[in-house]
Amino acid sequence: NAGVTQTPKFQVLKTGQSMTLQCAQDMNHEYMSWYRQDPGMGLRLIHYSVGAGITDQGEVPNGYNVSRSTTEDFPLRLLSAAPSQTSVYFCASSYLGNQETQYFGPGTRLLVL
Amino acid sequence: GENVEQHPSTLSVQEGDSAVIKCTYSDSASNYFPWYKQELGKRPQLIIDIRSNVGEKKDQRIAVTLNKTAKHFSLHITETQPEDSAVYFCASHNYGQNFVFGPGTRLSVLP
């Protein structure tokens, strides 16, 4: 049971480039989410999904797209990277019941030059 | 929507002393309150959680208390050790809603 996995661990992009951050979980969790964490700050929700084919925006969705074609995978796409998107990105998942624990992936550290 | 405040933002204690971090929330319907520990460069890891039908929960040196009337919950770490040094995040959750996190507390345990 690998839990929540993320790739890559670290990425450098130039302004304007696009890329996809991968997230997968093998716990059959319905709920998956993406957060960004900036230095010295908390976790801000970017997008989330409550099941395959269903996605919605969080607190800071601009510049990011998501899709959920399977229960296991929830990729995050940066359409045109900007220096303001330099951050650490965490994927998380949980069951969709009441009072369910959320588990985090190891994170992707992104630097946009 | 839900708002979670967390205090203090930084906390330094001597090894062996106790540490207390307090969070307040605004949505009275919230019913699940986890605490996460994040070491430098690592992912947030769940260390303890409490559900709304419980007032206190303890796991070895860590305890969490919940006051639903006042809408606050606290993390208590006793006999602190250097390895307790990390950033701690509280969160609140209500069924059908997203998790809302506090801004974090940086705990330093001085040897």
Side-chain angles (χ1 to χ4, degrees), chain A residues 31 37 98-99 101-102 104, chain B residues 31-32 36 38 51 98:
Chain A
Y31 180 88
Q37 185 176 38
N98 194 23
Q99 302 176 331
T101 300
Q102 184 168 223
F104 284 85
Chain B
N31 61 7
Y32 175 59
Y36 290 85
Q38 187 178 29
R51 291 166 171 82
N98 293 305

Side-chain angles (χ1 to χ4, degrees), chain B:
Chain B
E2 172 73 296
N3 182 51
V4 176
E5 297 185 354
Q6 184 173 346
H7 298 281
S9 57
T10 61
L11 178 61
S12 294
V13 299
Q14 290 295 133
E15 182 177 356
D17 287 349
S18 296
V20 180
I21 303 170
K22 181 177 177 179
C23 287
T24 59
Y25 61 98
S26 59
D27 187 354
S28 57
S30 293
N31 61 7
Y32 175 59
F33 307 94
W35 283 92
Y36 290 85
K37 175 184 180 181
Q38 187 178 29
E39 297 176 342
L40 191 62
K42 301 288 184 63
R43 76 185 82 186
Q45 296 267 25
L46 179 75
I47 55 172
I48 195 167
D49 57 13
I50 192 165
R51 291 166 171 82
S52 60
N53 59 338
V54 175
E56 182 175 359
K57 183 177 178 180
K58 190 172 182 180
D59 182 4
Q60 298 183 349
R61 296 187 297 109
I62 295 174
V64 57
T65 58
L66 171 64
N67 184 328
K68 288 221 72 180
T69 303
K71 289 189 282 188
H72 68 71
F73 57 109
S74 299
L75 177 70
H76 304 255
I77 306 174
T78 60
E79 301 173 20
T80 54
Q81 301 168 3
E83 53 265 37
D84 294 328
S85 294
V87 178
Y88 292 81
F89 292 98
C90 63
S92 75
H93 186 245
N94 180 21
Y95 181 60
Q97 305 296 319
N98 293 305
F99 284 82
V100 178
F101 287 84
T105 295
R106 182 174 300 277
L107 173 65
S108 299
V109 179
L110 309 174

